[in-house]
Amino acid sequence: MSEEHKISFKTYSNVLIVLLVLTVVTVAVAQVDFGKVNALVAMLIATIKAILVLMYFMHLKYDEKIYWIIFGSAVFFVMLLYFFSELDIITRVIQNSVL
């Protein structure tokens, strides 16, 4: 069993401020056209925000390492699913309609 930990109000406030700033960045980035990397930029910002929430609000930063392994394996399989979905979309042959 891990020790009890206490997170200060200042830490929570700082994380909240960073999350709010990243939300503003998300809205600002949505107004800019990055071409093919639009989804990548959006996913990068969302990933950073998710990591902050996981680490501080869900206390993953202070939990046992097995939880990191479980979380990491879940992320790995989601990325694998995304990769195969993209691979399927990229390798499809565009067919011209006869109608």
Side-chain angles (χ1 to χ4, degrees):
M1 189 77 126
S2 62
E3 300 177 14
E4 184 176 336
H5 60 276
K6 300 203 186 239
I7 302 175
S8 69
F9 180 75
K10 182 180 178 184
T11 302
Y12 279 131
S13 299
N14 289 339
V15 172
L16 175 64
I17 290 169
V18 171
L19 288 171
L20 290 173
V21 167
L22 286 172
T23 300
V24 170
V25 169
T26 302
V27 173
V29 164
Q31 306 303 318
V32 179
D33 183 23
F34 290 106
K36 292 183 178 183
V37 294
N38 276 343
L40 185 65
V41 171
M43 291 296 284
L44 179 66
I45 296 170
T47 301
I48 293 169
K49 288 167 41 177
I51 288 171
L52 285 171
V53 169
L54 285 166
M55 287 179 60
Y56 291 99
F57 294 112
M58 296 179 73
H59 303 273
L60 192 59
K61 180 177 180 179
Y62 305 102
D63 276 337
E64 298 173 19
K65 298 303 175 197
I66 187 71
Y67 296 118
W68 278 103
I69 294 169
I70 293 169
F71 172 72
S73 63
V75 169
F76 170 75
F77 284 110
V78 167
M79 289 173 59
L80 193 66
L81 176 68
Y82 180 78
F83 170 73
F84 283 122
S85 298
E86 283 294 320
L87 193 63
D88 180 50
I89 291 169
I90 291 170
T91 58
R92 287 180 185 248
V93 177
I94 299 175
Q95 297 178 358
N96 295 326
S97 176
V98 239
L99 298 176

